[in-house]
Amino acid sequence: SQKIEQNSEALNIQEGKTATLTCNYTNYSPAYLQWYRQDPGRGPVFLLLIRENEKEKRKERLKVTFDTTLKQSLFHITASQPADSATYLCALDISGGYNKLIFGAGTRLAVHP
Amino acid sequence: EAQVTQNPRYLITVTGKKLTVTCSQNMNHEYMSWYRQDPGLGLRQIYYSMNVEVTDKGDVPEGYKVSRKEKRNFPLILESPSPNQTSLYFCASSSGSAGGSQNIQYFGAGTRLSVL
């Protein structure tokens, strides 16, 4: 069965540093992968989508990489700020782009002043 | 404002008492889904709907029912709730179709359900 793993331990970093979160998956070749942000008591909010033929995607301070050989995506936040503190979820397409996603359990990021 | 609205946000009930959680979206999206979120397990899809009157099981459908009589509404029904259905539930919608930005999920604020 498909499996998607994110580091379950919280990531604590200092303000201004780059945060790097990892998403690993097995047993599938996804057409795309998504990253979401979730704040306590709120629903996830979409951040970035990267397709299987894309190595890297950027949006402001966010960068996502996608290595289909390693079956891994890395999510980077540069110049991190306390407001970036949240849980970050990765989601994998397992239906060739037809809206069937599986989600990782998320990694909690805490950025300290 | 584009949004997905779930009600209620919090619900405490007893075993066996039927309940419905409503979900409505104002983005004219074709696809709607229900997920449950449990600690350490991530979001798991319960049911999804590709359009009006078209629904299908997700990964954890047991004990749940859904209906899609109108494009904007996708209620989740628990006919006989049990304590193992205590969870945080999210409704989501997307514009569907293969690939591209259309598969972005827009989530509601969540419904925290406790079944005693």
Side-chain angles (χ1 to χ4, degrees), chain A residues 1-93:
Chain A
S1 63
Q2 302 90 358
K3 191 174 180 183
I4 183 168
E5 289 185 345
Q6 295 184 256
N7 194 336
S8 58
E9 293 183 12
L11 179 62
N12 290 283
I13 65 168
Q14 286 298 120
E15 184 175 7
K17 300 292 186 184
T18 296
T20 299
L21 286 70
T22 304
C23 177
N24 294 301
Y25 61 93
T26 59
N27 298 335
Y28 202 75
S29 298
Y32 62 85
L33 185 146
Q34 300 175 342
W35 284 88
Y36 291 79
R37 169 181 173 143
Q38 187 174 20
D39 291 287
R42 302 265 183 118
V45 175
F46 171 78
L47 295 174
L48 281 167
L49 179 152
I50 186 165
R51 296 182 179 81
E52 60 180 335
N53 60 350
E54 298 175 319
K55 296 288 188 194
E56 182 179 297
K57 205 76 167 284
R58 291 176 185 261
K59 179 183 175 183
E60 297 173 351
R61 293 184 296 111
L62 308 180
K63 184 178 84 171
V64 173
T65 62
F66 194 10
D67 189 325
T68 55
T69 301
L70 291 178
K71 294 188 182 293
Q72 181 182 77
S73 175
L74 299 178
F75 178 79
H76 307 272
I77 305 176
T78 59
S80 60
Q81 305 165 359
D84 295 325
S85 299
T87 296
Y88 292 87
L89 312 175
C90 66
L92 209 63
D93 160 63

Side-chain angles (χ1 to χ4, degrees), chain B residues 79-103:
Chain B
E79 294 270 4
S80 182
S82 62
N84 65 10
Q85 293 178 299
T86 293
S87 188
L88 180 58
Y89 291 86
F90 289 101
C91 179
S93 73
S94 73
S95 59
S97 79
S101 61
Q102 293 90 337
N103 287 319

Side-chain angles (χ1 to χ4, degrees), chain B residues 4-114:
Chain B
V4 177
T5 304
Q6 292 179 231
N7 280 297
R9 291 291 314 278
Y10 303 93
L11 181 58
I12 300 174
T13 190
V14 295
T15 299
K17 186 176 182 182
K18 180 179 178 180
L19 65 91
T20 299
V21 184
T22 64
C23 175
S24 180
Q25 51 94 4
N26 63 0
M27 295 169 278
N28 201 35
H29 282 167
E30 293 176 348
Y31 279 77
M32 298 186 74
S33 298
W34 275 103
Y35 296 88
R36 61 179 287 174
Q37 187 174 39
D38 301 288
L41 294 179
L43 286 160
R44 292 180 292 167
Q45 192 179 52
I46 301 170
Y47 267 95
Y48 65 99
S49 170
M50 291 162 282
N51 214 323
V52 175
E53 303 292 2
V54 182
T55 63
D56 205 352
K57 295 177 181 178
D59 299 313
V60 287
E62 295 77 19
Y64 304 94
K65 282 177 56 178
V66 293
S67 68
R68 188 93 181 271
K69 293 183 170 54
E70 303 167 284
K71 196 172 187 179
R72 64 182 291 125
N73 296 324
F74 191 43
L76 179 69
I77 302 157
L78 283 73
E79 294 270 4
S80 182
S82 62
N84 65 10
Q85 293 178 299
T86 293
S87 188
L88 180 58
Y89 291 86
F90 289 101
C91 179
S93 73
S94 73
S95 59
S97 79
S101 61
Q102 293 90 337
N103 287 319
I104 295 167
Q105 303 278 305
Y106 294 83
F107 286 88
T111 296
R112 187 166 292 281
L113 171 66
S114 294

